[in-house]
Amino acid sequence: MSEIIEGAQNRALTPEFLHDLRTPLNHIIGFSELLADQAREESQLAFIGDLEKIHAAGLQLLSLLNDGVAPAPPTSASDSRFNGVTPPAGAYSHILVVDDNEMNREVLSRRLEQLGYAVATAENGIVAMVAARSRTPDLVLLDIMMPEMDGYEVLKALKGDERLKHLPVIMISAVDEVESVARCIEMGAEDYLAKPFNPILLKARVGASLDRKRAHDREMRLYEQSQEQYLHLQELEKLRDNLTHMIIHDLRTPLTSVISGLQSVAAMGSLNPGQLEVLDISVAGGETLLEMINSLLDVDKMESGSMELDYTLLDADQLVSSAVAQVAQLAETGEISLVWKPGSGVPFFEGDEVTLRRTLVNLLGNAIKFTPAAGSVTVDVREQDKFLVFSVTDTGEGVPEEAFGRIFEKFGQVASRQNGRLMSTGLGLTFCKLAVEAHGGEISVANADGQGSTFSFTVPVKRIEY
């Protein structure tokens, strides 16, 4: 061995020469470790001392070849790298070793099999890609310097394959290939191992890479399961919505017949006051239920985008006046003052008249419903920036601040703070929100400093020049 060292010192240590010398040295170092392990397992203690000397001499020569790289410390019989390695519990995994040198492949394979892993080998990059695609391994140990298809090309091909891109790759390199290793890490390699293979580092880095791989696989399985459950839930919701829509739609026809029949009873003959009162209550209840059904159908249409808006040029004063007229009787019955001053001078704007009037009627009706007798409901329209702002303010108890976020949700009923009575059916305000948003505006609710609350919504305005 001294002659080899002297010859190495007398020749220029070119990369090619170093590579040619390192390969057999790595074999000597690796197999001396394996043979020492085997000697201990078979109780052939007489061979261990010689194998340790061979191993130490190999490391010393490798250190000289690396031109100043610190040699690995000499090992002794108590060095843990020569002790039998216990395979990690549950560590069975499939590892692909890719190296053009047969002895390197054998050293790595034996070490990995001792750790409890199943090992497949490939002598070049082309064979490695075929093997990885035919049976996806859990980890790839990949040599950088190989003919035909080197480690860079294999790594690039693995990371470019949708099915293999998450596969962890540990690069195999010589100690003076740090720049090459860094390049591989930048390309997506998980880690690296230097030749000769330190069994402790081999076990640690392979184990850590496989742990991360298993964690990633668990996350992917959980994600796929959640996606499947989400799609299944969407299908169930679609079936539920279709069934609900069908039932509600079919309810409208017989309910309309019931209301018409009740209204016809009054015209068929004289009724006493008690009978008329019961009849009026029945008709009012039927009309309320029909309104709820129509609201739900309209909300579903707007949520699905199937409701088309009929845009025309609108006068804000006329729009509000017509909405106020529809709720005037309700306000009078409740002894509530409706405050509205037309002639605000706001510009004309484009919108769906029926939808926006219904939005105002819903807001006005809701305000009247929760305003006590002798209270007032005020309507206001003003221009702000490039929007018209419609506001409905009441003198009722106001909306609890914690309910601001859900009062516009579908069936998002809010309980009264004073008596626990539900504030609306949970559909009228949802319709208002969807109608306003369909026009490109926003709706909100706020409480006054004293009593009452204000519902406001905006509609984009384009000033008409005459």
Side-chain angles (χ1 to χ4, degrees):
M1 183 171 289
S2 61
E3 294 177 356
I4 297 176
I5 295 173
E6 184 180 354
Q9 291 173 333
N10 292 332
R11 285 187 58 181
L13 298 182
T14 63
E16 294 79 9
F17 178 62
L18 287 173
H19 182 271
D20 291 343
L21 283 178
R22 281 198 191 100
T23 300
L25 275 174
N26 287 329
H27 298 163
I28 292 171
I29 295 167
F31 277 107
S32 66
E33 292 176 346
L34 290 172
L35 289 172
D37 287 343
Q38 185 176 347
R40 284 195 171 279
E41 292 172 2
E42 297 176 0
S43 299
Q44 298 180 9
L45 305 182
F47 295 103
I48 295 176
D50 292 335
L51 290 169
E52 288 177 352
K53 293 177 181 177
I54 294 171
H55 180 267
L59 289 175
Q60 183 182 8
L61 177 55
L62 185 61
S63 175
L64 291 172
L65 292 178
N66 289 332
D67 192 21
V69 175
T75 59
S76 65
S78 62
D79 194 326
S80 62
R81 78 179 66 198
F82 287 102
N83 295 335
V85 181
T86 304
Y92 182 84
S93 298
H94 176 221
I95 300 177
L96 176 62
V97 175
V98 187
D99 197 311
D100 62 315
N101 188 281
E102 181 180 0
M103 301 297 285
N104 284 345
R105 296 196 301 272
E106 186 173 350
V107 171
L108 266 178
S109 297
R110 289 191 183 186
R111 277 293 181 198
L112 293 169
E113 287 169 355
Q114 285 182 346
L115 292 171
Y117 301 116
V119 183
T121 61
E123 62 270 22
N124 58 55
I126 297 174
V127 175
M129 291 305 301
V130 173
R133 285 169 176 153
S134 61
R135 180 190 174 185
T136 305
D138 297 300
L139 174 66
V140 176
L141 268 62
L142 178 62
D143 189 24
I144 295 178
M145 304 304 295
M146 294 186 296
E148 298 184 55
M149 187 178 187
D150 63 23
Y152 301 119
E153 295 174 292
V154 177
L155 182 60
K156 183 178 179 181
L158 288 171
K159 297 305 175 183
D161 189 307
E162 188 65 27
R163 194 166 59 90
L164 302 175
K165 66 180 182 180
H166 296 297
L167 187 62
V169 179
I170 296 178
M171 304 307 298
I172 301 171
S173 68
V175 290
D176 62 347
E177 294 177 338
V178 177
E179 292 184 2
S180 299
V181 169
R183 177 182 168 188
C184 293
I185 297 296
E186 291 173 353
M187 293 173 62
E190 182 83 12
D191 209 333
Y192 76 97
L193 281 168
K195 301 175 186 177
F197 309 112
N198 183 304
I200 298 174
L201 286 179
L202 176 67
K203 176 183 177 182
R205 293 184 176 176
V206 167
S209 295
L210 288 172
D211 285 344
R212 288 191 289 269
K213 171 67 163 49
R214 283 189 283 268
H216 175 268
D217 290 346
R218 284 195 297 270
E219 290 177 2
M220 291 303 297
R221 285 194 296 271
L222 289 173
Y223 174 75
E224 290 171 358
Q225 290 173 3
S226 65
Q227 287 295 102
E228 291 176 0
Q229 292 172 355
Y230 175 70
L231 292 175
H232 182 59
L233 181 61
Q234 281 188 317
E235 291 176 0
L236 292 177
E237 287 180 344
K238 186 177 180 180
L239 288 173
R240 180 204 63 192
D241 291 343
N242 289 340
L243 179 61
T244 302
H245 186 275
M246 180 184 68
I247 293 173
I248 292 173
H249 184 274
D250 290 347
L251 280 174
R252 186 161 55 175
T253 300
L255 182 58
T256 302
S257 300
V258 170
I259 295 172
S260 299
L262 291 172
Q263 291 172 335
S264 300
V265 169
M268 293 174 65
S270 60
L271 298 174
N272 61 48
Q275 292 171 329
L276 284 174
E277 182 180 358
V278 172
L279 189 60
D280 289 342
I281 293 173
S282 300
V283 171
E287 289 177 342
T288 300
L289 183 56
L290 183 60
E291 182 182 350
M292 291 172 59
I293 290 173
N294 289 333
S295 294
L296 185 56
L297 291 174
D298 289 341
V299 166
D300 285 341
K301 285 181 181 179
M302 298 190 79
E303 284 181 331
S304 64
S306 61
M307 176 177 280
E308 296 182 1
L309 300 180
D310 182 18
Y311 280 88
T312 57
L313 194 61
L314 301 177
D315 182 325
D317 285 345
Q318 292 182 0
L319 180 69
V320 175
S321 294
S322 62
V324 168
Q326 289 191 29
V327 298
Q329 183 61 44
L330 180 64
E332 184 179 345
T333 302
E335 300 179 1
I336 296 167
S337 299
L338 270 177
V339 182
W340 158 240
K341 295 180 181 180
S344 52
V346 295
F348 286 78
F349 68 101
E350 292 182 342
D352 185 301
E353 182 178 4
V354 174
T355 303
L356 290 177
R357 183 190 297 117
R358 183 172 169 188
T359 299
L360 283 167
V361 168
N362 282 349
L363 294 178
L364 287 166
N366 198 65
I368 292 170
K369 181 178 179 182
F370 293 97
T371 298
S376 64
V377 173
T378 303
V379 189
D380 177 64
V381 183
R382 67 185 185 279
E383 185 178 7
Q384 182 175 316
D385 297 328
K386 296 182 179 181
F387 291 87
L388 286 185
V389 181
F390 294 81
S391 299
V392 176
T393 303
D394 62 65
T395 57
E397 63 179 279
V399 179
E401 290 187 9
E402 64 272 14
F404 284 1
R406 71 175 187 275
I407 196 168
F408 296 106
E409 293 177 0
K410 194 173 183 180
F411 301 114
Q413 294 177 319
V414 177
S416 167
R417 287 180 292 190
Q418 293 181 0
N419 55 27
R421 189 162 58 104
L422 292 177
M423 305 177 74
S424 85
T425 62
L427 290 174
L429 293 179
T430 302
F431 174 86
C432 294
K433 179 177 184 293
L434 293 173
V436 169
E437 290 178 349
H439 281 82
E442 296 180 351
I443 190 168
S444 62
V445 59
N447 285 334
D449 293 336
Q451 278 191 324
S453 59
T454 299
F455 285 82
S456 302
F457 68 89
T458 61
V459 179
V461 62
K462 181 171 64 177
R463 183 173 289 277
I464 306 299
E465 301 294 341
Y466 294 97

